[in-house]
Amino acid sequence: MKACIIAVGSELLTPLRIDTNSLAITEQLNAVGYDVRLKMVAGDDIDELARVIRVGLDTADLVVCTGGLGPTADDLTREAVAGVLQVPLDIDETIVDRVRERFARRGLMMPEINRRQGMVPRGAVALDNPHGSAPGLWIEVGPRRIVLLPGPPREMGPMLEAVVRDRLAARASGGPAIFRRVLKIAGKSESEIDQAAAPIYTRWLDVATPVRTTILAASGQVELHLSVTTRTKQAADQLLAAAVSDLQAALGDVVYSTDGRTIEAIVGELLRARRMTIAVAESCSGGLLLSRLTDVPGSSDYVHGGVVCYSNRAKVEWADVPEELIVRHGAVSEPVARAMAHGMRARAGASAGIGVTGIAGPGGGTEDKPVGTVAIAVLADRQGELVEGVRTFRFPGGRELVKFQSATAAMNMLRLMLLRDT
Ligand code: ATP
């Protein structure tokens, strides 16, 4: 069955806001067998909204709109749908009462404009919104369905789950659904990965139930997105597991995740399993490495801490880098990265240490150390024996991307070191 998603809101047509709701909606619809064929973003203009709703109904069995259900005059989704269906808008006093109660619970009087939220195109069913005032609406138009959901993601998400569970899953039951898996890869370029993976994924296209693969590269990381359309999750799981294992065998340990987990989560688990702790000294990554390591809930089990030693003096004073190393090799060099990792690890009394030093740009590059040059050292205590790895990378991209790739590469070096120590 085909679905169309319409994100409503003039702010989504500016450079300031992006429509992320449609990603969550697509994921949920795919899981119950809807194929999203069209996504549109429309501003708060009744005629344009009506036009895209008509296109949606011409294209798909299901049209999901998100946004434009608020109380103000520019929230026009209800009016536009009523106009397209040529039905009147009725006031549903039960909805108005519910909105009024919601205000009363917070000790407030409901402003009169909120009555608008009780307006429903005739024949529509209200969908409860546990996290906000705007109810959603479910509308049946012959064989087609329209679902109206509010814009704020925290309101939209739970309502969408309920609609999918209570209304859409049953409708689509027995039909095929799309299931996905993502392989995340670090340390190899998109073309290297494609070269190694292409023979495998082309073979998987040729089987009775083909597994489709898309290669995506962003922020210096590469992902292989696998998808398969089957009638049951069990059948999909089997096919996806087999395809994933073929790809892993071809690609080796550059694949760090096959279940959606981030590299920071994977590294965290490796450290936790070994009862290790980590301390980091960062220059060009400016704290991003520590920030990403601590994005993982429970990371206090293994993250000891770190310093951002941006200046030469900070490297000497805070990470115990011998000054003469900086003078001799420059601040961006493998010996300095190594000294940062050693100094920080020793100071912290941690079992693993990382040093990152580089040139994030746009200035500061030289002929032998262009912008994007980053030296990373990783140390880990392997049952009393200190193992270390030091590498110099040349990362492409601007400042932000160089910082991000530096943190990823450091975690990947540590991951490989920990994996190989068993
Ligand atoms: P409200 O009652 O809160 O006004 P609404 O249904 O009218 O609900 P909007 O006013 O359209 O929702 O959007 C409110 C906020 O929700 C937006 O400012 C934006 O931050 C977020 N939002 C809206 N649509 C989307 C979307 N498609 N993806 C991500 N965020 C969105």
Side-chain angles (χ1 to χ4, degrees):
M1 281 201 282
K2 296 183 211 161
C4 160
I5 301 172
I6 303 175
V8 182
S10 294
E11 79 278 9
L12 301 172
L13 296 171
T14 69
L16 307 174
R17 284 279 157 82
I18 185 163
D19 157 40
T20 52
N21 283 355
S22 67
L23 306 183
I25 296 171
T26 304
E27 187 178 17
Q28 296 244 6
L29 294 183
N30 285 171
V32 290
Y34 282 91
D35 194 3
V36 174
R37 294 298 181 89
L38 183 64
K39 294 204 293 186
M40 294 180 276
V41 177
D44 303 310
D45 177 286
I46 187 115
D47 296 330
E48 281 172 11
L49 266 173
R51 195 158 48 229
V52 294
I53 292 166
R54 267 187 222 107
V55 172
L57 286 170
D58 282 347
T59 313
D61 305 284
L62 171 71
V63 178
V64 180
C65 297
T66 163
L69 294 183
T72 55
D74 62 358
D75 289 309
L76 294 164
T77 309
R78 284 174 290 252
E79 282 87 341
V81 169
V84 170
L85 303 182
Q86 298 184 322
V87 294
L89 275 173
D90 300 323
I91 278 271
D92 180 336
E93 291 296 342
T94 10
I95 297 178
V96 178
D97 286 347
R98 231 176 288 148
V99 177
R100 189 176 288 115
E101 276 162 31
R102 205 182 143 77
F103 275 93
R105 276 202 301 276
R106 288 153 54 206
L108 300 169
M109 289 273 286
M110 183 188 85
E112 213 30 46
I113 57 162
N114 280 74
R115 278 184 70 77
R116 274 173 67 81
Q117 292 185 302
M119 282 171 21
V120 295
R122 189 164 294 168
V125 176
L127 303 168
D128 196 29
N129 178 356
H131 299 284
S133 58
L137 294 170
W138 166 268
I139 303 163
E140 306 197 350
V141 192
R144 311 212 185 284
R145 303 288 180 266
I146 304 179
V147 179
L148 308 187
L149 299 171
R154 58 178 285 281
E155 295 182 32
M156 192 282 303
M159 293 175 77
L160 173 68
E161 267 171 44
V163 174
V164 167
R165 185 189 60 229
D166 301 342
R167 296 174 183 270
L168 296 174
R171 194 170 141 76
S173 73
I178 304 169
F179 297 89
R180 297 179 205 281
R181 242 344 158 76
V182 178
L183 261 78
K184 297 187 181 182
I185 297 158
K188 281 261 181 344
S189 72
E190 185 180 8
S191 44
E192 284 172 305
I193 289 157
D194 196 42
Q195 207 171 356
I200 317 289
Y201 65 65
T202 352
R203 204 167 67 227
W204 274 99
L205 276 177
D206 253 350
V207 299
T209 311
V211 177
R212 289 187 179 74
T213 303
T214 318
I215 185 159
L216 289 172
S219 308
Q221 295 183 108
V222 181
E223 295 182 352
L224 290 176
H225 288 220
L226 278 57
S227 68
V228 67
T229 305
T230 58
R231 283 185 182 274
T232 65
K233 182 170 181 311
Q234 200 188 3
D237 283 346
Q238 261 177 16
L239 285 163
L240 289 170
V244 163
S245 118
D246 276 3
L247 284 164
Q248 262 187 308
L251 295 167
D253 58 13
V254 295
V255 178
Y256 66 81
S257 165
T258 58
D259 57 7
R261 277 178 303 164
T262 58
I263 194 157
E264 31 278 47
I266 301 279
V267 165
E269 263 163 49
L270 292 170
L271 288 167
R272 184 185 279 113
R274 288 161 178 71
R275 297 180 187 283
M276 290 174 74
T277 54
I278 181 155
V280 303
E282 300 183 63
S283 184
C284 68
S285 51
L288 184 62
L289 172 57
L290 195 56
S291 169
R292 288 178 58 189
L293 283 168
T294 54
D295 279 342
V296 183
S299 48
S300 58
D301 289 351
Y302 49 84
V303 173
H304 182 87
V307 295
V308 180
C309 41
Y310 215 56
S311 69
N312 289 351
R313 190 154 68 84
K315 289 179 183 64
V316 174
E317 290 180 4
W318 296 348
D320 299 327
V321 175
E323 198 163 1
E324 59 91 16
L325 274 187
I326 300 179
V327 174
R328 185 140 43 101
H329 303 281
V332 177
S333 61
E334 293 190 358
V336 169
R338 212 176 143 261
M340 285 163 69
H342 276 278
M344 198 60 223
R345 178 182 164 276
R347 263 198 187 216
S351 37
I354 295 182
V356 183
T357 174
I359 305 156
T366 62
E367 205 166 304
D368 35 298
K369 289 179 188 171
V371 167
T373 303
V374 180
I376 300 178
V378 176
L379 304 175
D381 183 336
R382 183 164 55 187
Q383 286 136 24
E385 180 207 353
L386 200 57
V387 278
E388 66 172 53
V390 188
R391 273 190 67 182
T392 303
F393 296 84
R394 294 268 159 85
F395 295 124
R399 196 169 170 79
E400 213 176 301
L401 200 53
V402 170
K403 290 172 75 175
F404 190 82
Q405 292 174 101
S406 303
T408 306
M411 288 189 276
N412 196 42
M413 282 172 71
L414 178 61
R415 178 184 72 89
L416 294 172
M417 183 177 279
L418 296 178
L419 277 182
R420 286 167 190 166
D421 76 357
T422 44

